[in-house]
C-alpha cells in the first residue's frame, strides 16, 4: 500500500486526537464559598484551586466564588448535593439541624485552643465524613476560624448584661445562647453582617477576630471580650458523583491538594488569630478578657448547651467526645 505524506500526516493527527480523548478533556468545577476574598478561608481556597490546576496540568479547573456571590452560605451545601455546583465550602455547624455531628465543634468550651481543636477534628472526622457521604458529598478538608468572642456596643460584665441584646446568630448554638441569656436572636450570615451592624439590627454578636475585622466591627461596636468559647470550622466538600467522574490521577491530585490545603489552613488560622485581635485594638476597640462573673455565667450556659448536644447526638456523640478526651 502506498501512502502519501499527506495521508500519513492526517492519520497521525487523528491518532493524536484519539489519544488525548476524554482523559485530556477539561473539567470545570465551581466552588461557592461565603466569606470575603481576603479572609484566610478564601485565600486558602484560591490556593487549593491553583494547586489542583497545576497538578492536573489544567485538566481540572476550579473556580472559587467567594463572598456568597454564587450561593448564600445556607444554600451552598444543597447546591453541591443537587449538582448546581460541584464543590463548596461552608461552616459545618450551619447544618447542625441536619445532624448533631455537624455541631460538635461548637459545643462550648470543649476545644478552645488550636491543638485541642485539631484533636477534636481528628476524633470527629470519620463521623462527619460518614454523614456527608450519606448525603452524596465527599469531604475534602476542614479549616478552623479564630476562637469565638463577644462583640458589644455596651459593656458586658455578666450574662445578665446580655439580657435584651439584639444578638446576631450564625448557627443553632449562637441562637440558643440568646435564648438562655434572654437576648433576642437574629440569624445573619457574615456576608450580611456589615449591613446589619450599620442599620442597628444587632448590637452584639459572637464571632472570631477575622469576621469582626471583615465587617469593620469598630464602626459600631466598642467592646470585644476574648471568651474563646469554641473554634468553629469550615468544611470543603465535593459532589460525590462529580468526584467519581474524574480519572484516577485527577482524583488523587484533588485529594493531595486537599491535604495540603488542610494543613496550610490550620497554620494560617493560628498565625492570624492574634493579628486580627490587634487590628481591633488598632481601630480603638477595647479588647478585654471576660470578667470572672461573665466567665462563670458563660460556663453555665456552656454546660446547658453541652447537655443539649449530648442528648441530641446520643451514644455516637458521646463516643466521639470520649475518643477526643483520650487523645
Ligand atoms: N465567622 C463566621 C463563622 C464563625 C466565624 O468566626 C461568622 O461569624 O459568620
Amino acid at each position: 500500500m502506498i501512502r502519501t505524506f499527506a495521508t500519513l500526516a492526517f492519520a497521525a493527527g487523528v491518532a493524536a486526537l484519539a489519544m488525548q480523548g476524554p482523559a485530556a478533556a477539561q473539567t470545570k468545577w465551581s466552588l461557592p464559598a461565603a466569606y470575603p476574598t481576603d479572609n484566610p478561608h478564601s485565600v486558602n481556597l484560591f490556593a487549593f484551586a491553583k494547586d489542583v490546576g497545576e497538578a492536573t496540568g489544567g485538566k481540572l479547573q476550579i473556580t472559587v466564588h467567594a463572598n456568597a456571590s454564587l450561593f448564600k452560605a445556607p444554600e451552598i451545601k444543597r447546591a453541591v448535593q443537587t449538582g448546581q455546583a460541584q464543590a463548596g465550602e461552608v461552616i459545618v455547624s450551619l447544618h447542625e439541624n441536619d445532624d448533631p455531628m455537624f455541631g460538635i465543634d461548637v459545643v462550648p468550651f470543649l476545644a478552645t485552643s488550636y491543638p485541642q481543636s485539631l484533636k477534636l477534628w481528628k476524633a470527629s472526622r470519620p463521623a462527619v465524613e460518614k454523614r456527608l457521604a450519606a448525603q452524596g458529598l465527599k469531604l475534602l478538608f476542614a479549616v478552623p476560624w479564630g476562637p469565638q468572642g463577644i462583640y458589644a456596643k455596651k459593656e458586658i460584665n455578666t450574662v445578665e448584661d446580655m439580657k435584651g441584646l439584639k444578638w446576631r446568630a450564625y448557627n443553632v448554638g449562637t441562637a440558643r445562647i440568646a435564648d438562655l441569656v434572654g437576648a433576642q436572636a437574629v440569624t445573619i450570615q457574615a456576608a450580611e453582617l456589615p449591613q446589619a451592624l450599620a442599620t442597628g439590627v444587632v448590637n452584639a454578636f459572637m464571632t472570631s477576630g477575622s469576621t469582626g475585622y471583615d465587617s469593620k466591627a469598630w464602626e459600631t461596636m466598642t467592646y470585644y471580650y476574648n471568651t474563646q468559647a469554641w473554634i468553629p470550622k469550615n468544611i470543603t466538600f465535593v459532589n460525590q458523583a462529580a468526584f467519581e467522574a474524574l480519572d484516577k490521577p485527577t482524583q488523587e491530585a484533588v485529594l493531595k491538594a486537599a491535604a495540603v490545603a488542610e494543613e496550610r489552613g490550620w497554620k494560617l488560622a493560628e498565625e492570624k488569630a492574634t493579628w486580627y485581635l490587634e487590628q481591633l485594638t488598632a481601630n480603638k476597640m477595647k479588647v478585654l478578657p471576660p470578667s470572672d462573673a461573665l466567665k462563670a455565667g458563660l460556663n453555665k450556659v456552656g454546660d446547658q448547651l453541652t447537655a443539649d448536644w449530648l442528648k441530641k447526638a446520643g451514644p455516637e456523640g458521646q463516643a466521639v467526645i470520649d475518643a477526643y478526651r483520650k487523645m
Side-chain angles (χ1 to χ4, degrees):
M1 195 205 288
I2 298 165
R3 283 187 174 161
T4 62
F5 176 73
T7 38
L8 276 174
F10 176 75
V14 169
L17 270 178
M19 269 167 67
Q20 276 181 2
Q26 199 191 39
T27 304
K28 293 185 179 194
W29 282 1
S30 56
L31 193 162
Y35 304 99
T37 49
D38 57 350
N39 181 284
H41 286 286
S42 307
V43 170
N44 193 37
L45 289 174
F46 290 122
F48 166 69
K50 188 166 170 273
D51 287 351
V52 169
E54 283 172 8
T56 62
K59 258 165 66 178
L60 177 57
Q61 189 190 321
I62 302 176
T63 305
V64 177
H65 302 269
N67 216 9
S69 58
L70 193 59
F71 292 100
K72 292 191 185 308
E75 299 161 359
I76 290 174
K77 185 158 139 307
R78 175 137 295 273
V80 179
Q81 281 177 267
T82 55
Q84 289 171 276
Q86 292 71 37
E89 183 207 43
V90 83
I91 176 164
V92 57
S93 56
L94 191 55
H95 296 290
E96 191 178 341
N97 275 340
D98 272 17
D99 193 297
M101 202 56 79
F102 294 148
I104 193 167
D105 58 2
V106 295
V107 172
F109 308 112
L110 178 63
T112 57
S113 69
Y114 283 102
Q116 286 176 347
S117 178
L118 188 59
K119 275 188 197 168
L120 183 61
W121 174 228
K122 285 190 174 143
S124 58
R125 183 180 189 135
V128 171
E129 261 178 336
K130 192 173 94 186
R131 281 156 173 84
L132 290 171
Q135 300 184 345
L137 300 172
K138 181 172 179 61
L139 175 78
L140 292 177
F141 56 92
V143 170
W145 285 92
Q148 305 287 291
I150 297 176
Y151 291 79
K153 216 167 189 138
K154 63 161 206 175
E155 211 171 313
I156 296 178
N157 293 314
T158 65
V159 284
E160 285 71 37
D161 292 340
M162 294 169 73
K163 207 168 171 174
L165 287 177
K166 292 187 271 178
W167 177 262
R168 173 261 174 171
Y170 64 79
N171 63 3
V172 180
T174 43
R176 178 90 171 110
I177 289 177
D179 290 349
L180 291 172
V181 302
Q184 268 170 264
V186 196
T187 298
I188 297 164
Q189 292 309 316
E192 280 91 41
L193 183 56
Q195 176 155 9
L197 295 179
T199 55
V201 174
V202 296
N203 55 20
F205 55 99
M206 194 160 206
T207 189
S208 56
S210 62
T211 294
Y213 174 88
D214 289 346
S215 36
K216 296 193 168 65
W218 51 83
E219 289 182 353
T220 48
M221 301 286 129
T222 309
Y223 298 95
Y224 177 78
Y225 296 99
N226 195 1
T227 54
Q228 313 212 336
W230 61 79
I231 296 181
K233 290 188 304 287
N234 283 1
I235 52 167
T236 299
F237 47 85
V238 55
N239 177 290
Q240 184 74 40
F243 183 79
E244 276 160 20
L246 301 173
D247 60 32
K248 262 269 153 344
T250 307
Q251 289 185 353
E252 275 158 23
V254 170
L255 296 181
K256 202 167 153 214
V260 170
E262 180 154 304
E263 218 181 302
R264 179 180 50 223
W266 282 78
K267 245 181 101 195
L268 206 58
E270 190 166 2
E271 276 167 17
K272 285 206 86 176
T274 316
W275 184 84
Y276 277 120
L277 295 189
E278 286 165 5
Q279 301 319 300
L280 302 183
T281 307
N283 283 286
K284 311 267 182 304
M285 282 192 74
K286 294 187 176 123
V287 175
L288 303 166
S291 71
D292 288 344
L294 179 58
K295 251 198 222 165
L298 289 174
N299 275 331
K300 262 186 137 171
V301 169
D303 289 345
Q304 183 62 55
L305 287 172
T306 306
D308 290 353
W309 187 84
L310 281 170
K311 207 168 144 197
K312 282 188 294 187
E316 205 182 343
Q318 184 66 57
V320 172
I321 289 189
D322 291 348
Y324 158 66
R325 291 207 163 117
K326 276 196 213 116
M327 284 175 122

